[in-house]
């Protein structure tokens, strides 16, 4: 039996109704079974709309000025007539599960802009601080007619890897630093970045920022060339969110890279690979949910777990027995 979608919700989202979009995102973030069924049906109905936004992932360590940059960058884009959605993945409270940082309070000007939509999203303890349903929220924002979707992560651990699997461009925001600090940047993150923006290139920090840009540019040249990059990418650029300097240049480079990837087929190929990745992730999550929710399976897991803990069975043998139970 197909789940009943709340009345007119899909039509209102396609008509760019912000209240309907907020309600739909709440629906996809819910863990209740009936809400998940409704969310799945809604996303399936909206998939046929064929609307696309430019998805940009933005990461960086705490204190680098991500919120200040996103607000300045978002205001510049809305000033050009573009509609911008910001999905900011916040750390979750371990008590309530709610969002801690509250991005609407950190992006006051942008939150008042009629062409902008900001949605803080608690990470709910999922790996790397990226909410499991963020990719579904991105799809809803695209269906609502947004031109650019910015996904901000908390910049801890493996969140960058997960964000890279749901965006078209991955931007790393860095602060001015010395050469020694450059060595602390993980090679894996450098290899994922399409653009490194060194923020705070203003005032007394400007000379240090320009040196840092040069350091990162040199480091990027040492990396193996990726097939999805034209000549000169990935690259490092200086920006100042406070002075709103370098933002136009950064946007120009993002558009140029996205356009090149569209023309060469990399853009659509990447989107297709991402869709397959998340399909497989949903299947895995569904199998894990069965392990958590089925009383008989949980009882068998406890029984075999006790046998392993007490040394009566090897972990591999117990796992094989558990998988055999699931197949029957």
């Amino acid at each position: 039996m197909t789940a009943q979608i709340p009345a007119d919700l899909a039509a209102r989202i396609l008509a760019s109704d912000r209240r309907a979009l907020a309600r739909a995102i709440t629906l996809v973030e819910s863990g209740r079974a009936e809400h998940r069924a409704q969310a799945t049906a809604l996303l399936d109905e909206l998939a046929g709309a064929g609307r696309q936004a430019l998805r940009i992932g933005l990461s960086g360590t705490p204190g680098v000025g991500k919120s200040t940059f996103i607000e300045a960058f978002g205001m510049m884009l809305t000033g050009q007539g573009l509609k911008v959605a910001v999905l900011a993945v916040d750390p979750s409270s371990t008590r309530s599960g709610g969002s801690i940082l509250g991005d609407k309070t950190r992006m006051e000007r942008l939150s008042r802009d009629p062409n902008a939509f900001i949605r803080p999203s608690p990470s709910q303890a999922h790996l790397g601080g990226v909410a499991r349903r963020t990719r579904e929220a991105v799809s809803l924002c695209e269906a609502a007619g947004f031109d650019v979707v910015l996904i901000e992560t908390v910049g801890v651990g493996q969140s960058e890897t997960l964000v890279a699997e749901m965006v078209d461009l991955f931007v790393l925001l860095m602060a001015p630093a010395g050469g020694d600090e450059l060595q602390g940047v993980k090679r894996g993150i450098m290899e994922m970045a399409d653009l490194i923006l060194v923020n705070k290139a203003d005032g007394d920090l400007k000379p240090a920022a320009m040196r840092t840009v040069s350091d990162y540019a040199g480091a990027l040249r040492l990396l193996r060339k990726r097939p999805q990059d034209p000549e000169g990418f990935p690259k490092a650029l200086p920006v100042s969110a406070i002075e709103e300097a370098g933002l136009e240049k950064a946007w120009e480079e993002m558009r140029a890279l996205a356009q090149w990837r569209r023309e060469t087929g990399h853009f659509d190929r990447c989107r297709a690979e991402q869709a397959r990745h998340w399909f497989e992730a949903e299947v895995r999550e569904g199998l894990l949910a069965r392990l958590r929710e089925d009383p008989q399976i949980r009882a068998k897991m406890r029984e075999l777990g006790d046998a392993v803990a007490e040394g009566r069975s090897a972990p591999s043998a117990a796992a094989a027995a558990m998988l055999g139970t699931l197949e029957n």
Side-chain angles (χ1 to χ4, degrees):
M1 181 177 175
T2 304
Q4 187 67 39
I5 304 171
D8 299 328
L9 189 58
R12 288 167 57 202
I13 290 171
L14 291 171
S16 302
D17 185 320
R18 295 160 68 93
R19 287 181 180 273
L21 175 59
R23 183 183 178 191
I25 293 177
T26 299
L27 193 66
V28 302
E29 289 178 347
S30 173
R32 293 175 58 180
E34 64 269 31
H35 289 170
R36 285 303 309 153
Q38 289 175 348
T40 299
L42 175 64
L43 288 161
D44 201 40
E45 183 170 332
L46 292 173
R51 294 180 177 178
Q52 275 193 353
L54 183 61
R55 306 172 184 173
I56 302 173
L58 185 78
S59 193
T61 54
V64 76
K66 290 193 297 292
S67 295
T68 307
F69 172 81
I70 288 174
E71 180 168 59
F73 188 64
M75 292 295 292
M76 181 199 71
L77 295 180
T78 59
Q80 296 179 6
L82 297 173
K83 294 181 65 179
V84 180
V86 179
L87 301 175
V89 184
D90 271 354
S92 294
S93 164
T94 54
R95 293 188 178 183
S96 69
S99 184
I100 294 173
L101 301 180
D103 290 85
K104 285 196 176 182
T105 62
R106 295 188 288 138
M107 303 180 196
E108 190 177 350
R109 281 193 307 148
L110 190 60
S111 66
R112 294 198 302 264
D113 193 312
N115 283 328
F117 176 83
I118 301 175
R119 177 73 180 210
S121 180
S123 62
Q124 301 170 349
H126 288 293
L127 177 63
V130 178
R132 179 186 167 203
R133 299 302 167 192
T134 298
R135 65 185 181 277
E136 295 179 346
V138 171
S139 297
L140 291 171
C141 290
E142 287 187 314
F146 284 90
D147 302 300
V148 179
V149 180
L150 294 168
I151 306 171
E152 177 197 2
T153 77
V154 294
V156 286
Q158 290 179 279
S159 58
E160 290 82 6
T161 303
L162 294 179
V163 166
E165 291 289 353
M166 65 177 82
V167 297
D168 305 311
L169 303 175
F170 183 74
V171 178
L172 194 57
L173 199 64
M174 305 300 291
D180 290 342
E181 293 176 46
L182 174 62
Q183 296 176 20
V185 178
K186 292 181 180 178
R187 181 186 174 93
I189 296 174
M190 291 277 286
E191 289 175 333
M192 284 187 294
D194 295 308
L195 208 58
I196 293 178
L197 301 180
V198 179
N199 194 22
K200 304 182 181 180
D202 49 60
D204 294 340
L205 285 175
K206 188 167 184 178
M210 300 309 292
R211 286 195 301 272
T212 304
V213 169
S214 179
D215 288 341
Y216 283 125
L220 290 170
R221 282 194 293 270
L222 297 176
L223 298 179
R224 182 182 303 168
K225 183 168 175 59
R226 308 178 304 183
Q228 69 268 32
D229 292 332
E231 193 62 38
F233 280 90
K235 59 177 62 177
L237 298 171
V239 295
S240 169
I242 292 177
E243 294 184 353
E244 300 185 2
L247 303 182
E248 289 275 5
K249 175 65 174 174
W251 176 232
E252 181 184 316
E253 296 289 358
M254 291 179 202
R255 284 186 300 172
L257 179 57
Q259 183 62 30
W260 184 88
R261 287 179 176 173
R262 283 191 175 97
E263 291 172 354
T264 55
H266 287 290
F267 192 95
D268 290 337
R269 188 157 51 249
C270 181
R271 285 271 179 123
E273 288 172 358
Q274 289 176 352
R276 182 182 295 275
H277 169 87
W278 290 114
F279 155 69
E280 293 174 356
E282 281 296 318
V283 172
R284 286 193 296 271
E285 183 62 31
L287 291 173
L288 290 173
R290 281 189 61 194
L291 293 176
R292 291 191 298 265
E293 295 164 9
D294 188 300
Q296 290 183 319
I297 292 176
R298 282 212 317 270
K300 187 65 176 177
M301 283 282 286
R302 278 196 301 271
E303 177 190 330
L304 290 169
D306 290 343
V308 170
E310 294 166 9
R312 293 183 283 110
S313 176
S316 56
M322 186 69 233
L323 291 172
T325 302
L326 293 175
E327 289 170 2
N328 296 331

